């Protein structure tokens, strides 16, 4: 007789698990990294740091450059505003030029072109002029700039704070850049109407800010003579025949603003300037 009952399937005997004692479990859970594992982790961390540090340094460098460029732009706008009010740029009056450094042996009473710019922008006056604080740059004979008379220097054209305008080794009224190793922002006024074409700009107008004057003229002209004008930097410096040296410079009728870049040197390709090369 056919059986309709399904015979039970044969089952495989399950292996018995080894019984884990609490002590063995604790030993397995407490096992540390092997030396190879630690070395792999250290290598990965070192690789990530090697990739991140240059990127971070570049970002920080760009931030400092952008901040310095913004300061240069602020000064440029302030100088143009001064021009609109006075029809001249700071440092272009004969009285100012009589007290501006123009060679490598300035007297103690001479001022840098950069200082004269700041005097104009903050509307400072002669402290010893005949009628007290008289008109700016009125009389070269009364030139004595005494900042102690001013409890608050007015922000007539620019909003630079005290730390940003007076921080270079005790040289008063010197605008500074925004790098960690802070350096001055240099101002050079054009010698408008000068008969000497090669003296449109004078690198010695800011003599006290340079660590060395070796090759200074050539370095200045290499960066400030516009190659698109057809000007030759060597002709400008050494006085050879050139068609028109005045037109060879960038911004020959106004002024130059120059800040050192990350190389912390003036008159190099790394400079931050107020013109497009």
């Amino acid at each position: 007789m056919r059986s309709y009952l399904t015979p039970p399937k044969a089952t495989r005997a399950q292996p018995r698990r080894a019984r884990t004692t609490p002590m063995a479990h604790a030993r397995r859970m407490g096992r540390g990294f092997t030396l190879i594992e630690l070395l792999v982790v250290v290598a990965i961390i070192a690789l990530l740091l090697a990739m991140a540090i240059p990127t971070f340094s570049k970002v920080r460098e760009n931030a400092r450059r952008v901040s310095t460029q913004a300061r240069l732009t602020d000064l440029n706008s302030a100088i143009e505003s001064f021009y609109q009010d006075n029809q001249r740029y700071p440092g272009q009056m004969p009285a100012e030029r009589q007290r501006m450094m123009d060679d490598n042996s300035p007297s103690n009473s001479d001022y840098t072109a950069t200082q004269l710019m700041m005097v104009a922008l903050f509307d400072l006056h002669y402290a010893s002029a005949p009628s007290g604080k008289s008109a700016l740059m009125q009389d070269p004979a009364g030139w004595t700039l005494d900042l102690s008379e001013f409890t608050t220097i007015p922000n007539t054209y620019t909003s630079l704070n005290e730390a940003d305008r007076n921080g270079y080794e005790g040289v008063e009224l010197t605008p500074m850049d925004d790098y960690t190793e802070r350096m001055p922002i240099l101002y050079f006024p054009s010698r408008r109407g000068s008969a000497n074409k090669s003296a449109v700009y004078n690198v010695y107008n800011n003599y006290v800010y340079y660590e060395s004057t070796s090759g200074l003229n050539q370095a200045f002209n290499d960066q400030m003579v516009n190659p698109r004008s057809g000007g030759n930097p060597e002709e400008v410096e050494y006085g050879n025949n050139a068609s028109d040296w005045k037109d060879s410079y960038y911004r020959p009728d106004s002024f130059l603003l120059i800040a050192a870049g990350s190389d912390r040197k003036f008159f190099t390709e790394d400079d931050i300037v107020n013109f497009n090369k």
Side-chain angles (χ1 to χ4, degrees):
M1 183 173 176
R2 187 177 179 181
S3 174
Y4 292 93
L5 298 175
T6 303
K9 293 182 179 180
T11 58
R12 181 181 298 177
Q14 299 293 326
R16 296 183 61 184
R17 292 184 178 180
R19 190 172 180 181
T20 303
T21 64
M23 186 175 295
H25 179 73
R27 282 199 302 269
R28 187 165 62 248
M29 295 298 293
R31 183 176 65 88
F33 292 105
T34 65
L35 178 61
I36 293 178
E37 290 172 333
L38 287 174
L39 291 176
V40 169
V41 172
V42 170
I44 292 173
I45 293 174
L47 179 61
L48 293 174
L49 287 175
M51 295 171 61
I53 290 177
T55 301
F56 174 75
S57 298
K58 187 174 182 179
V59 169
R60 185 173 57 181
E61 164 68 19
N62 288 340
R64 289 171 178 164
R65 189 175 185 88
V66 168
S67 180
T68 298
Q69 183 67 66
R71 193 160 294 167
L72 218 75
T73 300
D74 175 55
L75 284 171
N76 192 87
S77 298
I79 295 168
E80 291 293 355
S81 296
F82 179 87
Y83 180 85
Q84 293 300 318
D85 290 344
N86 299 276
Q87 300 306 303
R88 67 175 179 84
Y89 292 107
Q92 289 187 331
M93 286 183 64
E96 293 171 299
R97 291 204 170 277
Q98 289 188 31
R99 286 314 213 185
M100 187 187 301
M101 297 177 184
D102 60 4
D103 56 32
N104 59 0
S105 56
S107 69
N108 292 333
S109 60
D110 287 342
Y111 289 82
T112 69
T114 300
Q115 287 178 302
L116 293 179
M117 171 198 68
M118 297 294 280
V119 166
L121 296 187
F122 288 99
D123 196 22
L124 301 181
H125 307 280
Y126 293 124
S128 62
S131 59
K133 299 172 184 178
S134 63
L136 178 66
M137 308 303 174
Q138 184 178 19
D139 178 12
W143 184 281
T144 303
L145 183 62
D146 183 5
L147 297 185
S148 64
E149 288 197 6
F150 300 90
T151 55
T152 301
I153 297 179
N155 294 333
T156 305
Y157 292 96
T158 180
S159 59
L160 288 179
N161 59 41
E162 184 173 355
D164 293 335
R165 69 187 183 220
N166 200 26
Y168 185 75
E169 298 180 359
V171 181
E172 295 175 312
L173 288 177
T174 300
M176 307 297 290
D177 63 27
D178 207 26
Y179 284 82
T180 301
E181 180 191 345
R182 305 191 75 187
M183 293 180 65
I185 297 174
L186 304 182
Y187 168 76
F188 294 91
S190 166
R191 291 190 63 174
R192 198 168 53 169
S194 171
N196 184 357
K197 295 179 180 180
S198 64
V200 176
Y201 288 111
N202 187 342
V203 67
Y204 291 107
N205 287 160
N206 290 293
Y207 173 75
V208 298
Y209 302 123
Y210 309 135
E211 292 185 1
S212 171
T213 58
S214 176
L216 188 63
N217 273 317
Q218 190 61 57
F220 180 82
N221 287 328
D222 283 345
Q223 299 303 318
M224 303 309 141
V225 171
N226 185 353
R228 292 188 294 273
S229 69
N232 185 329
E234 293 187 2
E235 289 181 343
V236 172
E237 178 178 3
Y238 297 114
N240 298 332
N241 292 326
S243 59
D244 192 343
W245 294 340
K246 281 187 176 180
D247 293 335
S248 297
Y249 283 98
Y250 291 102
R251 301 173 61 96
D253 296 318
S254 55
F255 63 93
L256 301 175
L257 287 172
I258 304 168
S262 58
D263 62 3
R264 301 286 76 196
K265 296 178 181 179
F266 290 119
F267 316 132
T268 68
E269 290 290 341
D270 193 41
D271 285 350
I272 303 169
V273 295
N274 66 328
F275 54 86
N276 295 321
K277 290 188 177 182

